Amino acid sequence: MKVQVYAVLKEYFHNEFEIDQSVNTIRELNAVLLDQNPVAEKLLHLCRFAVNDEFVDNNFQLNPDDVISIIPPSSGG
Amino acid sequence: MKVQVYAVLKEYFHNEFEIDQSVNTIRELNAVLLDQNPVAEKLLHLCRFAVNDEFVDNNFQLNPDDVISIIPPSSGG
Amino acid sequence: MTSSRLYPPAAEDSFLHISSLPLEIVSMLASAHHPGAGAVVLFSGETRNNSHGRDVDYLEYEAKESMASKMIGDILDEAVKKWRLKIAIARHRTGKVAVCESAVIVITASPHRSEAYEANRYIIDRIKHEVPIWKCEYFTDGTKEWGGNCNCQKVTGDANKHVYEWET
Amino acid sequence: MTSSRLYPPAAEDSFLHISSLPLEIVSMLASAHHPGAGAVVLFSGETRNNSHGRDVDYLEYEAKESMASKMIGDILDEAVKKWRLKIAIARHRTGKVAVCESAVIVITASPHRSEAYEANRYIIDRIKHEVPIWKCEYFTDGTKEWGGNCNCQKVTGDANKHVYEWET
């Protein structure tokens, strides 16, 4: 599955990357990301996740062809 | 002294007129106006008076060459 | 504080905050950007096509211009001080104002948006209640009415005391 | 209610409420007059030349455009319903935004002014807190910082619960 990150998250991860491991939920994805980059823990904790442009919660079941966006806190305007 | 009236007051008085009687205060002027047009009583009671572009109270002492404006309630904007 | 004086009046008008010509909303807005202001709020009061259930043809505004312009200037100065505004501009039109046209425009600019919104409401409320400007409604049935008067005196018992929206 | 959809986006943009081009404040405002609206309120959020005591060179905005545009549209629709607005328009810019330029514009129009002011604040507050748009501050000393983030979660304990100015 594909992961896209935005804004300040790009200082911790590539803008867009593939997750090859078997990951079934957002919670599991979060664990994989923390494993990749433990320094991002605080920030990741503040982020929301979206799949196919809709916000989802930690229990959301992922499909291998999903595109997951990690959305840091907004700071518009 | 000269009296100027505005807006809805023009339906009760001439736009501008002279008061020839000896009138010493705004209170006395008010009495003269009510005498001229008793129907205006309610409206006059809601109005403010200004002399030479400054609001004044009922006790304000008038001079013969003053220009008095009678200011009905605002309805700007 | 003289920010409120910065906006140049149209050459044809002798009063800074009162205009007998259509209000130039675009140039007023263009003059309201400020490098220290992160928020600009504009209010435009426009003629509606209906009032109290009746069809409105147009409005006509009358003002005691000399007093009105000075009073609006004083209100702007107070707002600039109170909210530390970078910019405060207001102009009210006199004469016939067609549906969709602006009768009054207020623009405020401040570092953060709270102040610009609050000051804007404060300024328009005070203009509408206190400043000697009057509206006459001309209806499509040919009748007219001096209308929408400030009725605060009925509540406050004093022609100089008003009930403002920004206080509620 | 589809009033919020009426404003035509620039031909170059594929998202109704997100623009990579400078916001056309004049044409947006020109499209916001309505015969049934006596009050038009415009908010423009602009780049300030300072932030937290540091000199700002410019800001750069990033958005997840597809989500952001849809969310702004939904917020506008909610505001139109809640306050019975005649018009509700909002556009947020992405990319570099210079000092004094608009990063976001919100326009509301309603019969009376209370609703236009309240709805306008509601819309901008929700956009700033909820919509996936991010600001990066570039300072004159050459440094940059992803800044001004919504910190509501520290108070509410939930990334989806915010503390809005219009509620205080």
Side-chain angles (χ1 to χ4, degrees):
Chain A
M1 59 194 65
K2 193 157 73 177
V3 176
Q4 296 172 326
V5 309
Y6 298 90
V8 65
L9 275 171
K10 294 185 295 186
E11 296 178 359
Y12 297 83
F13 299 96
H14 290 292
N15 295 9
E16 194 173 301
F17 55 94
E18 290 285 337
I19 296 275
D20 299 325
Q21 293 151 268
S22 147
V23 159
N24 296 309
T25 63
I26 293 291
R27 186 171 284 110
E28 288 177 27
L29 171 63
N30 217 346
V32 170
L33 295 172
L34 282 178
D35 205 47
Q36 281 186 11
N37 193 345
V39 182
E41 181 173 5
K42 258 194 184 162
L43 176 58
L44 274 176
H45 189 68
L46 295 171
C47 291
R48 291 175 291 176
F49 291 80
V51 175
N52 307 327
D53 275 9
E54 299 284 343
F55 286 114
V56 296
D57 67 21
N58 283 333
N59 300 317
F60 186 83
Q61 297 289 319
L62 294 167
N63 291 316
D65 55 350
D66 278 340
V67 178
I68 300 134
S69 298
I70 314 185
I71 309 286
S74 299
S75 60
Chain B
M1 59 194 66
K2 193 156 72 177
V3 176
Q4 296 171 327
V5 309
Y6 298 90
V8 66
L9 275 171
K10 293 185 295 185
E11 296 177 359
Y12 297 84
F13 299 96
H14 291 292
N15 295 8
E16 194 172 302
F17 55 95
E18 291 285 336
I19 296 274
D20 299 324
Q21 293 151 268
S22 144
V23 159
N24 296 310
T25 63
I26 291 290
R27 186 172 283 109
E28 287 177 29
L29 171 63
N30 217 345
V32 169
L33 295 172
L34 282 179
D35 205 47
Q36 280 184 12
N37 192 343
V39 183
E41 182 174 3
K42 255 192 185 166
L43 177 59
L44 274 175
H45 189 68
L46 295 170
C47 292
R48 291 176 290 175
F49 291 79
V51 174
N52 308 326
D53 276 9
E54 298 285 343
F55 287 114
V56 296
D57 66 22
N58 283 333
N59 299 317
F60 186 84
Q61 297 289 321
L62 295 168
N63 291 317
D65 55 349
D66 277 341
V67 178
I68 301 134
S69 298
I70 313 184
I71 309 287
S74 300
S75 60
Chain C
M1 291 294 224
T2 55
S3 313
S4 57
R5 311 295 190 188
L6 291 178
Y7 178 70
E12 297 84 348
D13 271 314
S14 14
F15 299 104
L16 192 50
H17 304 294
I18 301 290
S19 169
S20 58
L21 302 170
L23 298 178
E24 300 194 345
I25 195 167
V26 171
S27 65
M28 286 176 73
L29 185 54
S31 73
H33 306 289
H34 186 288
V40 177
V41 173
L42 173 147
F43 170 80
S44 169
E46 310 189 350
T47 300
R48 255 183 311 143
N49 63 5
N50 69 89
S51 177
H52 303 102
R54 299 171 70 190
D55 290 334
V56 169
D57 192 4
Y58 61 91
L59 301 183
E60 204 166 287
Y61 285 92
E62 183 178 331
K64 173 142 178 63
E65 284 106 336
S66 53
M67 284 181 80
S69 187
K70 183 183 175 307
M71 286 174 78
I72 292 175
D74 290 346
I75 292 168
L76 292 173
D77 287 346
E78 278 180 51
V80 166
K81 250 187 246 169
K82 194 169 154 83
W83 282 279
R84 298 173 161 274
L85 304 176
K86 297 297 184 186
I87 287 173
I89 295 170
R91 271 171 93 71
H92 203 299
R93 191 170 161 191
T94 55
K96 185 172 163 175
V97 181
V99 170
C100 281
E101 285 185 355
S102 298
V104 57
I105 291 170
V106 176
I107 308 179
T108 46
S110 55
H112 301 283
R113 67 186 182 282
S114 252
E115 290 78 7
Y117 277 113
E118 280 174 32
N120 203 288
R121 284 195 80 156
Y122 170 90
I123 293 164
I124 190 61
D125 275 13
R126 286 198 59 194
I127 290 175
K128 293 211 184 195
H129 284 283
E130 296 176 28
V131 176
I133 300 171
W134 305 278
K135 168 166 72 180
C136 192
E137 296 175 313
Y138 286 78
F139 299 99
T140 53
D141 63 12
T143 61
K144 70 168 193 173
E145 194 175 309
W146 287 98
N149 287 329
C150 158
N151 289 316
C152 298
Q153 197 171 163
K154 286 183 187 157
V155 178
T156 64
D158 183 336
N160 293 306
K161 290 208 178 114
H162 302 276
V163 182
Y164 300 102
E165 278 184 16
W166 51 269
E167 289 177 331
T168 61
Chain D
M1 292 293 225
T2 56
S3 314
S4 56
R5 310 298 190 184
L6 292 176
Y7 178 69
E12 296 85 346
D13 271 313
S14 15
F15 300 104
L16 192 50
H17 304 293
I18 300 289
S19 170
S20 58
L21 301 169
L23 298 178
E24 299 194 345
I25 196 167
V26 171
S27 64
M28 287 177 71
L29 184 54
S31 74
H33 307 289
H34 186 289
V40 176
V41 173
L42 172 147
F43 170 80
S44 169
E46 310 190 348
T47 300
R48 255 182 312 142
N49 63 6
N50 67 89
S51 177
H52 301 104
R54 299 173 68 189
D55 290 336
V56 170
D57 192 3
Y58 61 90
L59 301 183
E60 203 166 286
Y61 285 91
E62 183 177 333
K64 174 140 179 59
E65 284 106 337
S66 53
M67 286 183 79
S69 187
K70 184 182 175 307
M71 287 175 76
I72 291 176
D74 290 345
I75 292 168
L76 292 173
D77 287 347
E78 278 181 51
V80 166
K81 251 187 243 168
K82 195 169 153 83
W83 283 278
R84 300 171 160 274
L85 304 176
K86 298 296 184 187
I87 286 172
I89 295 169
R91 271 172 93 69
H92 202 300
R93 192 169 161 191
T94 55
K96 184 172 165 175
V97 181
V99 170
C100 281
E101 284 185 355
S102 298
V104 57
I105 290 171
V106 176
I107 309 180
T108 47
S110 57
H112 301 283
R113 67 186 183 281
S114 251
E115 291 77 7
Y117 277 113
E118 280 174 32
N120 203 288
R121 285 195 80 156
Y122 170 90
I123 293 165
I124 189 61
D125 275 13
R126 287 198 57 194
I127 290 175
K128 292 208 184 197
H129 285 282
E130 295 175 28
V131 177
I133 300 172
W134 306 278
K135 169 167 71 181
C136 191
E137 297 175 311
Y138 287 79
F139 299 100
T140 53
D141 63 11
T143 62
K144 70 168 192 171
E145 195 174 310
W146 287 99
N149 287 330
C150 158
N151 289 317
C152 297
Q153 197 170 165
K154 286 185 187 153
V155 177
T156 64
D158 183 338
N160 293 305
K161 291 208 178 112
H162 302 277
V163 182
Y164 299 103
E165 277 185 15
W166 51 269
E167 290 178 330
T168 60

